[in-house]
Amino acid sequence: MTIERLETATRMSRIVKHNGTIYLCGQVCKDANQGITEQASSMLEKVDALLEQAGSDREHILSATIYIKDMQYFAEMNAVWDAWVPEGHAPARACVEAKMARDVLLVEISVVAAEKV
């Protein structure tokens, strides 16, 4: 069983593929000076791009863990999430309040997906 690591740096790989499963490192927005809606949308756009690069898509997401800076943003983030997840393809999901690596970040996501066959 081969482990394939894509975009690997000293600290982490952006994508790890093993046995038909794709693991994405935590993704944040492109511009942290925006509000929660824009940060969540931008973050999910990055997930789409990485999944495509890895040979998958949002219909094949198995699980997602969302880290949110403050639960006051929960409803707004969920509105973006609900519009993004294809109907009938909701993954297992957890959402927790967490201290972020940078104070301006409001949301981060970690995703596990299956490769498209």
Side-chain angles (χ1 to χ4, degrees), residues 30-83:
K30 294 176 186 170
D31 181 359
N33 295 313
Q34 298 180 315
I36 186 64
T37 299
E38 295 82 10
Q39 284 196 28
S41 295
S42 174
M43 171 189 77
L44 294 173
E45 287 172 13
K46 290 171 73 175
V47 169
D48 277 332
L50 288 172
L51 288 174
E52 182 178 343
Q53 179 182 345
S56 190
D57 59 27
R58 59 179 92 157
E59 290 185 0
H60 289 79
I61 295 175
L62 303 171
S63 70
T65 303
I66 300 170
Y67 306 92
I68 193 164
K69 181 177 181 172
D70 189 311
M71 282 298 173
Q72 73 174 336
Y73 302 121
F74 188 68
E76 292 171 272
M77 184 278 303
N78 273 333
V80 174
W81 172 262
D82 291 345

Short mmCIF file of all heavy atoms in Angstrom, two decimals, residues 30-83:
data_model
loop_
_atom_site.label_atom_id
_atom_site.label_comp_id
_atom_site.label_asym_id
_atom_site.label_seq_id
_atom_site.Cartn_x
_atom_site.Cartn_y
_atom_site.Cartn_z
N LYS A 30 -8.49 32.60 1.78
CA LYS A 30 -7.40 33.29 1.07
C LYS A 30 -7.15 34.68 1.66
O LYS A 30 -6.03 35.15 1.69
CB LYS A 30 -7.75 33.42 -0.41
CG LYS A 30 -7.81 32.10 -1.13
CD LYS A 30 -8.25 32.27 -2.56
CE LYS A 30 -8.45 30.91 -3.21
NZ LYS A 30 -9.09 31.02 -4.50
N ASP A 31 -8.22 35.35 2.12
CA ASP A 31 -8.10 36.71 2.65
C ASP A 31 -8.75 36.77 4.02
O ASP A 31 -9.98 36.80 4.14
CB ASP A 31 -8.77 37.70 1.69
CG ASP A 31 -8.67 39.14 2.16
OD1 ASP A 31 -8.10 39.42 3.24
OD2 ASP A 31 -9.16 40.02 1.42
N ALA A 32 -7.93 36.79 5.05
CA ALA A 32 -8.44 36.76 6.43
C ALA A 32 -8.99 38.10 6.90
O ALA A 32 -9.45 38.21 8.03
CB ALA A 32 -7.34 36.29 7.37
N ASN A 33 -8.97 39.11 6.04
CA ASN A 33 -9.52 40.42 6.42
C ASN A 33 -11.00 40.52 6.11
O ASN A 33 -11.58 41.59 6.25
CB ASN A 33 -8.75 41.53 5.72
CG ASN A 33 -7.31 41.60 6.19
OD1 ASN A 33 -7.05 41.56 7.40
ND2 ASN A 33 -6.37 41.67 5.28
N GLN A 34 -11.61 39.42 5.71
CA GLN A 34 -13.03 39.41 5.38
C GLN A 34 -13.84 38.81 6.51
O GLN A 34 -13.30 38.28 7.48
CB GLN A 34 -13.24 38.61 4.09
CG GLN A 34 -12.54 39.23 2.89
CD GLN A 34 -12.77 38.42 1.63
OE1 GLN A 34 -12.68 37.20 1.65
NE2 GLN A 34 -13.09 39.11 0.55
N GLY A 35 -15.16 38.86 6.37
CA GLY A 35 -16.06 38.32 7.38
C GLY A 35 -16.21 36.82 7.26
O GLY A 35 -15.65 36.17 6.38
N ILE A 36 -17.02 36.24 8.13
CA ILE A 36 -17.17 34.79 8.19
C ILE A 36 -17.73 34.21 6.90
O ILE A 36 -17.28 33.16 6.44
CB ILE A 36 -18.01 34.35 9.41
CG1 ILE A 36 -18.03 32.82 9.55
CG2 ILE A 36 -19.42 34.92 9.34
CD1 ILE A 36 -16.72 32.17 9.83
N THR A 37 -18.69 34.85 6.28
CA THR A 37 -19.28 34.32 5.04
C THR A 37 -18.23 34.22 3.95
O THR A 37 -18.10 33.18 3.28
CB THR A 37 -20.46 35.19 4.59
OG1 THR A 37 -21.47 35.17 5.62
CG2 THR A 37 -21.06 34.69 3.30
N GLU A 38 -17.46 35.27 3.78
CA GLU A 38 -16.42 35.28 2.74
C GLU A 38 -15.29 34.31 3.08
O GLU A 38 -14.77 33.63 2.21
CB GLU A 38 -15.86 36.69 2.56
CG GLU A 38 -16.86 37.70 2.03
CD GLU A 38 -17.78 38.28 3.11
OE1 GLU A 38 -17.52 38.06 4.32
OE2 GLU A 38 -18.77 38.94 2.76
N GLN A 39 -14.90 34.26 4.35
CA GLN A 39 -13.84 33.33 4.75
C GLN A 39 -14.28 31.88 4.53
O GLN A 39 -13.52 31.07 4.01
CB GLN A 39 -13.43 33.55 6.21
CG GLN A 39 -12.57 34.77 6.42
CD GLN A 39 -11.87 34.75 7.77
OE1 GLN A 39 -11.58 33.70 8.33
NE2 GLN A 39 -11.57 35.94 8.29
N ALA A 40 -15.51 31.55 4.89
CA ALA A 40 -16.00 30.19 4.71
C ALA A 40 -16.08 29.84 3.23
O ALA A 40 -15.67 28.74 2.82
CB ALA A 40 -17.36 30.02 5.38
N SER A 41 -16.57 30.75 2.40
CA SER A 41 -16.67 30.50 0.96
C SER A 41 -15.29 30.28 0.35
O SER A 41 -15.08 29.34 -0.43
CB SER A 41 -17.36 31.67 0.25
OG SER A 41 -18.69 31.79 0.67
N SER A 42 -14.35 31.13 0.69
CA SER A 42 -12.99 31.03 0.17
C SER A 42 -12.32 29.73 0.62
O SER A 42 -11.64 29.06 -0.16
CB SER A 42 -12.18 32.24 0.64
OG SER A 42 -10.84 32.12 0.29
N MET A 43 -12.53 29.36 1.86
CA MET A 43 -11.98 28.12 2.40
C MET A 43 -12.51 26.92 1.62
O MET A 43 -11.75 26.03 1.23
CB MET A 43 -12.38 28.02 3.88
CG MET A 43 -12.09 26.72 4.55
SD MET A 43 -12.86 26.67 6.21
CE MET A 43 -14.59 26.37 5.80
N LEU A 44 -13.80 26.91 1.34
CA LEU A 44 -14.40 25.78 0.62
C LEU A 44 -13.98 25.75 -0.85
O LEU A 44 -13.87 24.67 -1.44
CB LEU A 44 -15.92 25.81 0.77
CG LEU A 44 -16.40 25.58 2.21
CD1 LEU A 44 -17.91 25.78 2.31
CD2 LEU A 44 -16.00 24.20 2.72
N GLU A 45 -13.71 26.90 -1.43
CA GLU A 45 -13.15 26.94 -2.79
C GLU A 45 -11.79 26.25 -2.82
O GLU A 45 -11.47 25.53 -3.77
CB GLU A 45 -13.00 28.39 -3.28
CG GLU A 45 -14.30 29.07 -3.64
CD GLU A 45 -14.11 30.56 -3.93
OE1 GLU A 45 -12.95 31.03 -4.10
OE2 GLU A 45 -15.14 31.26 -3.99
N LYS A 46 -10.99 26.47 -1.80
CA LYS A 46 -9.69 25.80 -1.71
C LYS A 46 -9.85 24.30 -1.55
O LYS A 46 -9.10 23.51 -2.15
CB LYS A 46 -8.87 26.40 -0.56
CG LYS A 46 -8.39 27.82 -0.84
CD LYS A 46 -7.77 28.48 0.36
CE LYS A 46 -6.40 27.94 0.70
NZ LYS A 46 -5.77 28.68 1.81
N VAL A 47 -10.84 23.87 -0.78
CA VAL A 47 -11.12 22.44 -0.64
C VAL A 47 -11.48 21.85 -2.00
O VAL A 47 -10.97 20.79 -2.38
CB VAL A 47 -12.23 22.19 0.40
CG1 VAL A 47 -12.72 20.74 0.35
CG2 VAL A 47 -11.75 22.55 1.80
N ASP A 48 -12.35 22.53 -2.75
CA ASP A 48 -12.72 22.07 -4.09
C ASP A 48 -11.49 21.87 -4.96
O ASP A 48 -11.35 20.84 -5.63
CB ASP A 48 -13.65 23.08 -4.78
CG ASP A 48 -15.11 22.93 -4.38
OD1 ASP A 48 -15.54 21.82 -4.02
OD2 ASP A 48 -15.83 23.95 -4.45
N ALA A 49 -10.60 22.84 -4.96
CA ALA A 49 -9.40 22.77 -5.81
C ALA A 49 -8.49 21.61 -5.39
O ALA A 49 -7.98 20.88 -6.26
CB ALA A 49 -8.64 24.09 -5.75
N LEU A 50 -8.29 21.42 -4.11
CA LEU A 50 -7.44 20.32 -3.63
C LEU A 50 -8.08 18.95 -3.92
O LEU A 50 -7.38 18.01 -4.31
CB LEU A 50 -7.15 20.46 -2.15
CG LEU A 50 -6.19 21.58 -1.77
CD1 LEU A 50 -6.12 21.75 -0.26
CD2 LEU A 50 -4.80 21.34 -2.34
N LEU A 51 -9.38 18.85 -3.74
CA LEU A 51 -10.05 17.59 -4.04
C LEU A 51 -9.92 17.25 -5.52
O LEU A 51 -9.65 16.10 -5.88
CB LEU A 51 -11.52 17.64 -3.63
CG LEU A 51 -11.80 17.60 -2.13
CD1 LEU A 51 -13.28 17.82 -1.86
CD2 LEU A 51 -11.32 16.30 -1.52
N GLU A 52 -10.10 18.24 -6.38
CA GLU A 52 -9.94 18.01 -7.81
C GLU A 52 -8.53 17.55 -8.13
O GLU A 52 -8.32 16.59 -8.88
CB GLU A 52 -10.27 19.28 -8.60
CG GLU A 52 -10.18 19.09 -10.10
CD GLU A 52 -10.55 20.32 -10.89
OE1 GLU A 52 -11.18 21.24 -10.33
OE2 GLU A 52 -10.19 20.38 -12.07
N GLN A 53 -7.55 18.21 -7.55
CA GLN A 53 -6.14 17.84 -7.75
C GLN A 53 -5.89 16.40 -7.31
O GLN A 53 -5.10 15.67 -7.91
CB GLN A 53 -5.25 18.81 -6.98
CG GLN A 53 -3.77 18.51 -7.09
CD GLN A 53 -2.92 19.47 -6.26
OE1 GLN A 53 -3.39 20.51 -5.80
NE2 GLN A 53 -1.68 19.13 -6.07
N ALA A 54 -6.57 15.96 -6.27
CA ALA A 54 -6.36 14.64 -5.70
C ALA A 54 -7.22 13.55 -6.37
O ALA A 54 -7.08 12.38 -6.06
CB ALA A 54 -6.66 14.66 -4.21
N GLY A 55 -8.12 13.95 -7.27
CA GLY A 55 -8.96 12.97 -7.94
C GLY A 55 -10.27 12.70 -7.22
O GLY A 55 -10.78 11.58 -7.23
N SER A 56 -10.83 13.73 -6.61
CA SER A 56 -12.09 13.58 -5.88
C SER A 56 -12.93 14.84 -6.06
O SER A 56 -12.60 15.72 -6.86
CB SER A 56 -11.81 13.32 -4.40
OG SER A 56 -13.00 12.94 -3.73
N ASP A 57 -14.02 14.91 -5.32
CA ASP A 57 -14.87 16.11 -5.33
C ASP A 57 -15.72 16.11 -4.07
O ASP A 57 -15.64 15.19 -3.25
CB ASP A 57 -15.74 16.17 -6.59
CG ASP A 57 -16.65 14.96 -6.75
OD1 ASP A 57 -17.03 14.33 -5.73
OD2 ASP A 57 -17.00 14.64 -7.90
N ARG A 58 -16.53 17.13 -3.92
CA ARG A 58 -17.29 17.28 -2.67
C ARG A 58 -18.34 16.18 -2.47
O ARG A 58 -18.75 15.93 -1.35
CB ARG A 58 -17.90 18.67 -2.55
CG ARG A 58 -18.84 19.07 -3.64
CD ARG A 58 -19.42 20.44 -3.42
NE ARG A 58 -18.64 21.47 -4.07
CZ ARG A 58 -19.11 22.65 -4.42
NH1 ARG A 58 -20.36 22.96 -4.17
NH2 ARG A 58 -18.35 23.54 -4.99
N GLU A 59 -18.76 15.51 -3.53
CA GLU A 59 -19.70 14.39 -3.38
C GLU A 59 -19.04 13.17 -2.74
O GLU A 59 -19.73 12.25 -2.32
CB GLU A 59 -20.30 14.01 -4.73
CG GLU A 59 -21.25 15.05 -5.27
CD GLU A 59 -21.94 14.62 -6.54
OE1 GLU A 59 -21.70 13.49 -7.03
OE2 GLU A 59 -22.73 15.43 -7.06
N HIS A 60 -17.71 13.17 -2.69
CA HIS A 60 -16.98 12.03 -2.14
C HIS A 60 -16.35 12.32 -0.77
O HIS A 60 -15.53 11.55 -0.29
CB HIS A 60 -15.90 11.58 -3.14
CG HIS A 60 -16.48 10.93 -4.35
ND1 HIS A 60 -17.02 11.66 -5.38
CD2 HIS A 60 -16.62 9.63 -4.66
CE1 HIS A 60 -17.46 10.81 -6.31
NE2 HIS A 60 -17.24 9.58 -5.88
N ILE A 61 -16.73 13.43 -0.15
CA ILE A 61 -16.21 13.74 1.18
C ILE A 61 -16.82 12.76 2.18
O ILE A 61 -18.03 12.58 2.23
CB ILE A 61 -16.51 15.20 1.58
CG1 ILE A 61 -15.76 16.15 0.65
CG2 ILE A 61 -16.10 15.45 3.04
CD1 ILE A 61 -16.08 17.62 0.89
N LEU A 62 -15.95 12.14 2.96
CA LEU A 62 -16.38 11.20 3.99
C LEU A 62 -16.63 11.89 5.32
O LEU A 62 -17.61 11.61 6.01
CB LEU A 62 -15.32 10.11 4.18
CG LEU A 62 -14.96 9.31 2.93
CD1 LEU A 62 -13.76 8.42 3.20
CD2 LEU A 62 -16.14 8.52 2.43
N SER A 63 -15.70 12.80 5.68
CA SER A 63 -15.85 13.53 6.94
C SER A 63 -15.20 14.89 6.85
O SER A 63 -14.28 15.09 6.06
CB SER A 63 -15.28 12.74 8.12
OG SER A 63 -13.87 12.70 8.04
N ALA A 64 -15.70 15.79 7.66
CA ALA A 64 -15.16 17.14 7.74
C ALA A 64 -15.16 17.58 9.19
O ALA A 64 -16.12 17.31 9.92
CB ALA A 64 -15.99 18.11 6.90
N THR A 65 -14.07 18.20 9.60
CA THR A 65 -14.00 18.80 10.93
C THR A 65 -13.81 20.30 10.72
O THR A 65 -12.86 20.72 10.06
CB THR A 65 -12.84 18.23 11.75
OG1 THR A 65 -13.00 16.81 11.83
CG2 THR A 65 -12.82 18.82 13.15
N ILE A 66 -14.74 21.07 11.24
CA ILE A 66 -14.71 22.52 11.09
C ILE A 66 -14.34 23.13 12.44
O ILE A 66 -14.92 22.78 13.48
CB ILE A 66 -16.07 23.06 10.61
CG1 ILE A 66 -16.41 22.44 9.25
CG2 ILE A 66 -16.06 24.58 10.55
CD1 ILE A 66 -17.82 22.71 8.79
N TYR A 67 -13.37 24.02 12.40
CA TYR A 67 -12.93 24.75 13.58
C TYR A 67 -13.39 26.19 13.39
O TYR A 67 -13.05 26.82 12.39
CB TYR A 67 -11.41 24.68 13.72
CG TYR A 67 -10.89 23.27 13.70
CD1 TYR A 67 -10.49 22.66 12.51
CD2 TYR A 67 -10.82 22.52 14.88
CE1 TYR A 67 -10.03 21.34 12.50
CE2 TYR A 67 -10.36 21.21 14.87
CZ TYR A 67 -9.97 20.63 13.67
OH TYR A 67 -9.52 19.34 13.66
N ILE A 68 -14.14 26.69 14.33
CA ILE A 68 -14.69 28.04 14.21
C ILE A 68 -14.21 28.85 15.43
O ILE A 68 -14.18 28.35 16.55
CB ILE A 68 -16.23 27.99 14.09
CG1 ILE A 68 -16.81 29.31 13.65
CG2 ILE A 68 -16.88 27.44 15.32
CD1 ILE A 68 -18.24 29.21 13.14
N LYS A 69 -13.79 30.06 15.16
CA LYS A 69 -13.21 30.89 16.22
C LYS A 69 -14.20 31.18 17.34
O LYS A 69 -13.84 31.19 18.51
CB LYS A 69 -12.69 32.20 15.62
CG LYS A 69 -12.06 33.12 16.64
CD LYS A 69 -11.50 34.35 16.01
CE LYS A 69 -10.84 35.25 17.04
NZ LYS A 69 -10.15 36.35 16.41
N ASP A 70 -15.45 31.42 16.97
CA ASP A 70 -16.46 31.77 17.95
C ASP A 70 -17.80 31.26 17.45
O ASP A 70 -18.16 31.48 16.29
CB ASP A 70 -16.50 33.30 18.13
CG ASP A 70 -17.36 33.74 19.28
OD1 ASP A 70 -18.51 33.27 19.40
OD2 ASP A 70 -16.88 34.58 20.08
N MET A 71 -18.55 30.58 18.28
CA MET A 71 -19.83 30.01 17.87
C MET A 71 -20.84 31.08 17.47
O MET A 71 -21.88 30.75 16.90
CB MET A 71 -20.39 29.11 18.97
CG MET A 71 -19.74 27.75 19.01
SD MET A 71 -20.01 26.87 17.45
CE MET A 71 -18.97 25.45 17.70
N GLN A 72 -20.55 32.34 17.70
CA GLN A 72 -21.44 33.39 17.20
C GLN A 72 -21.53 33.37 15.68
O GLN A 72 -22.47 33.87 15.09
CB GLN A 72 -20.99 34.78 17.69
CG GLN A 72 -19.72 35.29 16.99
CD GLN A 72 -19.36 36.71 17.37
OE1 GLN A 72 -20.22 37.48 17.78
NE2 GLN A 72 -18.09 37.04 17.23
N TYR A 73 -20.52 32.75 15.01
CA TYR A 73 -20.48 32.67 13.56
C TYR A 73 -21.09 31.38 13.02
O TYR A 73 -21.13 31.16 11.80
CB TYR A 73 -19.02 32.74 13.06
CG TYR A 73 -18.29 33.98 13.48
CD1 TYR A 73 -17.12 33.87 14.23
CD2 TYR A 73 -18.74 35.24 13.14
CE1 TYR A 73 -16.42 35.01 14.63
CE2 TYR A 73 -18.05 36.38 13.54
CZ TYR A 73 -16.89 36.25 14.27
OH TYR A 73 -16.21 37.37 14.66
N PHE A 74 -21.58 30.51 13.90
CA PHE A 74 -22.03 29.19 13.52
C PHE A 74 -23.13 29.22 12.45
O PHE A 74 -23.04 28.51 11.44
CB PHE A 74 -22.51 28.45 14.78
CG PHE A 74 -22.84 27.01 14.58
CD1 PHE A 74 -21.87 26.07 14.29
CD2 PHE A 74 -24.15 26.56 14.70
CE1 PHE A 74 -22.17 24.73 14.12
CE2 PHE A 74 -24.47 25.22 14.54
CZ PHE A 74 -23.48 24.31 14.24
N ALA A 75 -24.16 30.01 12.63
CA ALA A 75 -25.28 30.05 11.68
C ALA A 75 -24.83 30.56 10.31
O ALA A 75 -25.21 30.00 9.27
CB ALA A 75 -26.42 30.91 12.24
N GLU A 76 -24.01 31.62 10.29
CA GLU A 76 -23.53 32.16 9.02
C GLU A 76 -22.64 31.17 8.30
O GLU A 76 -22.73 30.99 7.07
CB GLU A 76 -22.78 33.47 9.24
CG GLU A 76 -23.65 34.61 9.70
CD GLU A 76 -22.81 35.81 10.10
OE1 GLU A 76 -22.40 35.87 11.29
OE2 GLU A 76 -22.56 36.65 9.22
N MET A 77 -21.77 30.50 9.04
CA MET A 77 -20.90 29.50 8.43
C MET A 77 -21.74 28.34 7.90
O MET A 77 -21.51 27.84 6.79
CB MET A 77 -19.87 29.01 9.45
CG MET A 77 -18.84 28.02 8.92
SD MET A 77 -19.41 26.32 8.83
CE MET A 77 -19.90 25.98 10.51
N ASN A 78 -22.73 27.91 8.66
CA ASN A 78 -23.59 26.81 8.21
C ASN A 78 -24.37 27.17 6.95
O ASN A 78 -24.61 26.29 6.12
CB ASN A 78 -24.57 26.40 9.32
CG ASN A 78 -23.96 25.38 10.25
OD1 ASN A 78 -23.08 24.61 9.87
ND2 ASN A 78 -24.44 25.36 11.48
N ALA A 79 -24.76 28.41 6.78
CA ALA A 79 -25.46 28.82 5.56
C ALA A 79 -24.57 28.61 4.34
O ALA A 79 -25.01 28.11 3.30
CB ALA A 79 -25.90 30.28 5.66
N VAL A 80 -23.29 28.95 4.46
CA VAL A 80 -22.33 28.74 3.38
C VAL A 80 -22.13 27.24 3.16
O VAL A 80 -22.16 26.74 2.03
CB VAL A 80 -20.99 29.45 3.67
CG1 VAL A 80 -19.96 29.11 2.61
CG2 VAL A 80 -21.19 30.95 3.78
N TRP A 81 -21.92 26.51 4.24
CA TRP A 81 -21.70 25.06 4.17
C TRP A 81 -22.89 24.36 3.51
O TRP A 81 -22.72 23.55 2.61
CB TRP A 81 -21.47 24.52 5.58
CG TRP A 81 -21.42 23.03 5.67
CD1 TRP A 81 -22.45 22.18 6.02
CD2 TRP A 81 -20.30 22.19 5.38
NE1 TRP A 81 -22.03 20.88 5.98
CE2 TRP A 81 -20.71 20.86 5.58
CE3 TRP A 81 -19.00 22.43 4.98
CZ2 TRP A 81 -19.86 19.77 5.40
CZ3 TRP A 81 -18.15 21.35 4.80
CH2 TRP A 81 -18.58 20.03 5.01
N ASP A 82 -24.11 24.68 3.97
CA ASP A 82 -25.30 24.01 3.47
C ASP A 82 -25.49 24.25 1.97
O ASP A 82 -25.94 23.36 1.25
CB ASP A 82 -26.54 24.48 4.23
CG ASP A 82 -26.55 24.00 5.68
OD1 ASP A 82 -25.77 23.09 6.04
OD2 ASP A 82 -27.35 24.56 6.47
N ALA A 83 -25.15 25.43 1.49
CA ALA A 83 -25.26 25.73 0.05
C ALA A 83 -24.17 25.01 -0.75
O ALA A 83 -24.35 24.74 -1.94
CB ALA A 83 -25.17 27.24 -0.17
#
